[in-house]
Each structure stands twice: as C-alpha cells, then as structure tokens.
Amino acid sequence: MPSLNLIGAGRLGNSLAYLAHASGQYQIAGIYSRSEASSIAAREFIGAGNVFENLAQLPPADLWLLAVPDGAIATVASQLAQAGVVNAGAIVFHASGALAADQLAALSPLGAQCASLHPAFSFADPARAVATFAGTLCALEGDAAACEALARLVHAIGGVPFQLQGGKDAKVAYHAALSMAANYLVTLSDLALQTANQAGIAPEIANQLVLGLIRQTLVNVEQLGPAAALTGPIVRGDAATVAQHLAVLPSTHQASYRALGEATVVLAGDRLSDAARSALLNTLQSEPRST
Ligand SMILES: NC(=O)c1ccc[n+]([C@@H]2O[C@H](COP(=O)([O-])OP(=O)(O)OC[C@H]3O[C@@H](n4cnc5c(N)ncnc54)[C@H](OP(=O)(O)O)[C@@H]3O)[C@@H](O)[C@H]2O)c1
C-alpha cells in the first residue's frame, strides 16, 4: 500500500490525508506541521500517522504532500531537500491553484517526481469537506509519473482528476479561469445590485431580480453555451440603449460596463452586422462622462 507523508496540517492537508486513509488504499506515514499542536490534532482527525517534530525526522514515503500556504511551498521544498529525507522516485506534490510544480524544483535533483494537485473545492471545515468531497474535479500538472500516481490518489479519495497540458502557463491560465468565474461573478453581482439600488429598487426585490436572472442565465449558458445564451441590447445591436446606460451609470461603474460590453460585442460575433458592431464599439469607447 503506498504511504503518504503530510507536511502542513491545515484544512486541505488534513482533509486529503483523512480521505486517503479512509479509502483503505493509502497508509499515512509521517505528519509534520509548523506547530506540534496542529500535527497532533491532524493525527486525531485523520485517525492515523505519526507526528514528527521536524522535517529531517520524517520517514520515507511514496507520496509527500506539502499542504502549506502558497507562499511557503518553495521554502519548505528547499528545507525538505536540505533535510535529505525524500527518497529517489518519491512523488512530491502541493495543492496550490495558482502555483505550478516548479515550486518544488529543489527536490528534483534528489530524484523526486514533482506535481501539483489542485482540488476545485473549498476546505473551510475539514469535517464537512470530507463528507462532501466526492465528485470534485482535481487539476493535475507536473512530471508525468507524478501525475499518473496522483490521478490514482484522486480516484481513491472520490475525486475526478484531469490533466492540465502546458506546464506553468497552463496552471496560471487555469487559475485565471477559476478567478474570473468565482470572483468576477461576485463583483458583477455587486455592480448589478448597486445599479438596482440606484434605480430605487428595494434590496429584497433587487436580490430576487438580479440573483434570479443570474441563475436563469447560468442555466442557459450551461445548456446552450455562452454565444447562444447571449441576449440583450448588445447582441441586438442597440447602441442607443447602451449609450443611455452609460449616461446614467456613475463613473466608478463605467469602466467595467465598457470592458464587458466590448467583450460581449466579440462574443456576439456575426450575429451583429458590421455597421451595428461599429456603432456599439464607438459608443462603448466614447469619452467617459465625468460625474
Ligand atoms: N483551503 C482550501 O479550500 C484550499 C483549496 C484548494 C487548495 N488549497 C491549497 O492548499 C494549501 C494549504 O492551504 P490551507 O487552506 O489548508 O491552509 P491552512 O489551513 O492555513 O494550513 C496550512 C498549514 O501549513 C502549516 N504551515 C505553515 N507554514 C509551514 C511551514 N513552514 N512548515 C510546515 N508547516 C507549515 C500551518 O501550520 P500550523 O497550523 O502548524 O501553524 C497550517 O496548518 C495551499 O497551497 C492552498 O492554496 C486550499
């Protein structure tokens, strides 16, 4: 049975180690964290593993998970390399969504196979996380042998692995995609709610109006794809309405409206005539009105 060392006994590390142990297909070997209290709590939560006080004491293992904050991954990888405990052929991985396997480069000269495994999941509370993790997509990137072994781990813990092709740039693009989807949708919701407030609509009605439309639109995007799901003044070529919107929006909201409007013109593609496209772009790129 493959063994796993856990470095960084936080939310993600505890959850993945718990799931690996619970699968019955992995043995938890060593647990090391910055504070011994976290390591001891992790051993209790996972129900397996031995706590070690420093990296140099960790036992050999087939898999090494560096579940430390993103900013500490490269440093801990260097410390681990200096400790000289990672066996040749071992698989070392981190779980950052933004960073690639090259953060672990210090371990490659030792013969380690390095990768990143990012579950698209929020591990806010490990006890809840392990109960709801099944079916989570997990992005893999890095050395081929490591990705193969980690795909087996992902399957064992109930996740769904997929491979990112293209190394470091692909990882950054992957993270940009997630950020746009998860974060910019929040910002866009807020801008729409503020604009509804500007229209004098009561907050509870504005919530129903804006969030209901977002839900309905997401279903359309899922079922039809983004281009076919597009409705509204831009895809209709209605530059006059777009100009009216810009006339009432405060200057703080105009840049976002204009930028998304231009992207929407591109998405509308040949549903717009050349003349309509030019009129829309002229309006969207017109001199911002000062408020
Ligand atoms: N949480 C999520 O939802 C989530 C989702 C996807 C990916 N991730 C990724 O998972 C990784 C861990 O995130 P997290 O949310 O689990 O963080 P976290 O809850 O803050 O846990 C990080 C752990 O790392 C330990 N640590 C910090 N510096 C260390 C060092 N120098 N040496 C050893 N241990 C150290 C901390 O130790 P002490 O407790 O001992 O102080 C802490 O327990 C990150 O790469 C993150 O991007 C997280």
Side-chain angles (χ1 to χ4, degrees):
M1 188 184 299
S3 53
L4 172 76
N5 277 347
L6 170 63
I7 299 172
R11 288 164 293 184
L12 175 133
N14 289 358
S15 305
L16 291 194
Y18 175 99
L19 289 166
H21 173 62
S23 75
Q25 298 176 49
Y26 292 85
Q27 178 211 337
I28 308 304
I31 300 172
Y32 166 74
S33 201
R34 190 172 44 186
S35 73
E36 199 178 12
S38 292
S39 299
I40 292 168
R43 186 183 57 194
E44 278 175 25
F45 177 74
I46 299 163
N50 292 308
V51 169
F52 293 89
E53 286 177 15
N54 60 59
L55 288 171
Q57 292 175 340
L58 283 166
D62 300 301
L63 300 165
W64 297 66
L65 167 56
L66 272 61
V68 297
D70 284 13
I73 292 170
T75 307
V76 172
S78 294
Q79 291 167 347
L80 198 53
Q82 277 164 20
V85 285
V86 173
N87 32 307
I91 285 147
V92 185
F93 65 110
H94 68 71
S96 167
L99 302 175
D102 65 347
Q103 295 288 306
L104 306 172
L107 291 152
S108 296
L110 304 181
Q113 302 289 322
C114 301
S116 65
L117 182 174
H118 179 251
F121 189 86
S122 175
F123 295 87
D125 169 26
R128 278 198 69 237
V130 298
T132 53
F133 182 79
T136 296
L137 283 166
C138 295
L140 299 174
E141 166 275 334
D143 294 334
C147 290
E148 275 175 38
L150 293 176
R152 287 193 289 276
L153 171 66
V154 171
H155 280 302
I157 65 176
V160 180
F162 70 98
Q163 184 72 39
L164 290 173
Q165 309 290 349
K168 191 175 173 181
D169 288 348
K171 189 67 190 279
V172 177
Y174 160 75
H175 194 249
L178 297 188
S179 301
M180 284 192 276
N183 309 149
Y184 289 3
L185 182 59
V186 177
T187 311
L188 192 61
S189 308
D190 181 53
L191 288 172
L193 287 167
Q194 285 186 49
T195 308
N197 179 51
Q198 182 188 335
I201 299 168
E204 57 280 12
I205 302 285
N207 264 328
Q208 285 177 39
L209 200 62
V210 169
L211 302 185
L213 201 53
I214 287 175
R215 276 193 214 99
Q216 188 192 334
T217 305
L218 284 179
V219 172
N220 288 344
V221 172
E222 193 175 20
Q223 293 181 352
L224 307 172
L230 197 57
T231 59
I234 288 188
V235 75
R236 283 197 299 269
D238 184 354
T241 298
V242 171
Q244 284 180 315
H245 290 174
L246 284 169
V248 298
L249 286 176
S251 55
T252 47
H253 294 182
Q254 287 204 13
S256 308
Y257 185 98
R258 288 174 193 275
L260 286 168
E262 286 191 41
T264 307
V265 169
V266 173
L267 181 60
D270 56 15
R271 290 169 72 186
L272 291 171
S273 65
D274 288 346
R277 185 178 303 110
S278 298
L280 284 163
L281 290 176
N282 279 340
T283 305
L284 289 164
Q285 292 163 0
S286 63
E287 202 58 40
R289 181 182 49 83
S290 60
T291 49

